[in-house]
Amino acid sequence: MAQLGSGHLRLLDGGRELARFAFAGSDFAQEKAVMLFELYRKDGGWRCMAVGQGFNGGLDALVAYFGGEVAQPAAEPAPAPKISLSKISLTKAGQTHQVSLEKGAGAPKKLTVKATWVDNGDGDDDNDDLDLRVGILLPNGQVRFIQAPDTPGSFDSMPFVRHLGDVAGASGKEPATETVEVNPALARHYGGTVGLVFSVYSALANGAVSVASMRPKMVMQYGEQVVECDFDFRLSKAADDDTVYTYVIGMARITPDSIILEPSGKTSEPGSEATPWLSWQGEHLQLAFNGPVVFKGEDKEDEDDFNADNPRRYIA
């Protein structure tokens, strides 16, 4: 305690100071614990007393003064084993990886999908804003659509996919990330295999930009298993075209027992606002860029005009 500078203890009633006990390191020598102040009830009233008594033996001596003893600390538990995440990277269209869905109480409770992208380096902060979108193909061929903030979905009820929020853009120091959580029991809830298509979209209102320059990719994590879809869009014909607005970063088939994930590399046509549309081709997914236009915010009122000649519609 001799190493202390100065200090004080105050007794307050609201903001009004009733008592103060000041002390300094020069008041002590070898003490390692100090009893500064007593507050006690006597004869129907509260009383206080400055003490300032030190104990060279530290906490053990202070507790012994009151007739007690300090229990010996229990042995520290062994450190928890470090989780080793096994990561699979898929970089080419046509590659697939299957993840087995676990059963039982210890099974992971959610499937997390994150889309990330980087600042394109052009110095313009307004055109680094992508939107992660999810199309959900049901066993009966109907399709749902998820994006934030207008249709974020739900994890525990239909559609069993939840978008965690819109991110405005990336910076030079930190990539941007949008996250979707998928209920692993998705296929059981829908009664059959479900298809998912994950895409990123750049609104024309944000400024013309090549989405490929932001290197979008997705990472799916289920428990200790991590699968990355990292198709290099800079190698595609659409890479240098700032009128290509949508890039499919991954697709997944979810059965009651497994998830089969694959990158895509497909993009919308130049100038097209069409969304990626999934359909069943036997047990496999068929992807086409002929889905209905989906806008958000104030632009939603323009959807009907864009979709007038398109028979496809997302169900609520």
Side-chain angles (χ1 to χ4, degrees), residues 97-211:
H97 181 75
Q98 180 170 315
V99 173
S100 296
L101 291 174
E102 301 176 20
K103 304 293 191 297
K109 303 301 182 184
K110 61 184 177 182
L111 170 69
T112 303
V113 176
K114 295 184 177 183
T116 63
W117 63 92
V118 299
D119 187 333
N120 61 15
D122 65 358
D124 189 344
D125 294 334
D126 295 334
N127 63 4
D128 295 320
D129 180 9
L130 299 182
D131 294 320
L132 171 59
R133 296 167 148 191
V134 186
I136 308 170
L137 174 61
L138 310 188
N140 63 5
Q142 293 180 313
V143 184
R144 298 180 185 272
F145 188 85
I146 297 297
Q147 76 170 3
D150 300 319
T151 52
S154 175
F155 184 82
D156 295 313
S157 58
M158 294 291 182
F160 302 103
V161 179
R162 174 176 59 199
H163 199 302
L164 299 190
D166 189 21
V167 173
S171 70
K173 295 181 179 179
E174 184 176 358
T177 302
E178 288 194 7
T179 304
V180 166
E181 293 180 342
V182 180
N183 193 317
L186 186 72
R188 286 198 295 106
H189 289 306
Y190 281 116
T193 303
V194 177
L196 300 177
V197 55
F198 301 93
S199 63
V200 288
Y201 165 75
S202 174
L204 184 59
N206 293 336
V209 64
S210 164
V211 177

Side-chain angles (χ1 to χ4, degrees), residues 79-300:
K82 293 183 179 180
I83 296 177
S84 176
L85 298 177
S86 57
K87 181 179 178 181
I88 302 295
S89 186
L90 306 176
T91 60
K92 298 178 181 179
Q95 287 182 311
T96 62
H97 181 75
Q98 180 170 315
V99 173
S100 296
L101 291 174
E102 301 176 20
K103 304 293 191 297
K109 303 301 182 184
K110 61 184 177 182
L111 170 69
T112 303
V113 176
K114 295 184 177 183
T116 63
W117 63 92
V118 299
D119 187 333
N120 61 15
D122 65 358
D124 189 344
D125 294 334
D126 295 334
N127 63 4
D128 295 320
D129 180 9
L130 299 182
D131 294 320
L132 171 59
R133 296 167 148 191
V134 186
I136 308 170
L137 174 61
L138 310 188
N140 63 5
Q142 293 180 313
V143 184
R144 298 180 185 272
F145 188 85
I146 297 297
Q147 76 170 3
D150 300 319
T151 52
S154 175
F155 184 82
D156 295 313
S157 58
M158 294 291 182
F160 302 103
V161 179
R162 174 176 59 199
H163 199 302
L164 299 190
D166 189 21
V167 173
S171 70
K173 295 181 179 179
E174 184 176 358
T177 302
E178 288 194 7
T179 304
V180 166
E181 293 180 342
V182 180
N183 193 317
L186 186 72
R188 286 198 295 106
H189 289 306
Y190 281 116
T193 303
V194 177
L196 300 177
V197 55
F198 301 93
S199 63
V200 288
Y201 165 75
S202 174
L204 184 59
N206 293 336
V209 64
S210 164
V211 177
S213 65
M214 290 184 270
R215 298 294 306 273
K217 67 178 181 180
M218 64 173 279
V219 176
M220 184 202 76
Q221 181 171 345
Y222 176 72
E224 298 182 16
Q225 302 178 76
V226 178
V227 184
E228 176 184 69
C229 289
D230 190 13
F231 180 87
D232 190 348
F233 287 97
R234 295 174 302 175
L235 303 178
S236 72
K237 293 181 180 179
D240 296 324
D241 194 334
D242 59 15
T243 67
V244 173
Y245 309 136
T246 301
Y247 290 65
V248 175
I249 50 178
M251 297 191 297
R253 281 180 290 143
I254 302 182
T255 75
D257 301 310
S258 67
I259 306 161
I260 301 174
L261 190 69
E262 61 180 289
S264 171
K266 292 188 177 180
T267 69
S268 58
E269 293 295 323
S272 172
E273 294 281 0
T275 54
W277 183 266
L278 286 181
S279 58
W280 292 114
Q281 190 176 46
E283 297 180 353
H284 300 282
L285 298 176
Q286 180 73 29
L287 172 65
F289 266 95
N290 55 12
V293 169
V294 178
F295 295 131
K296 65 179 182 180
E298 297 177 354
D299 296 327
K300 284 198 73 65

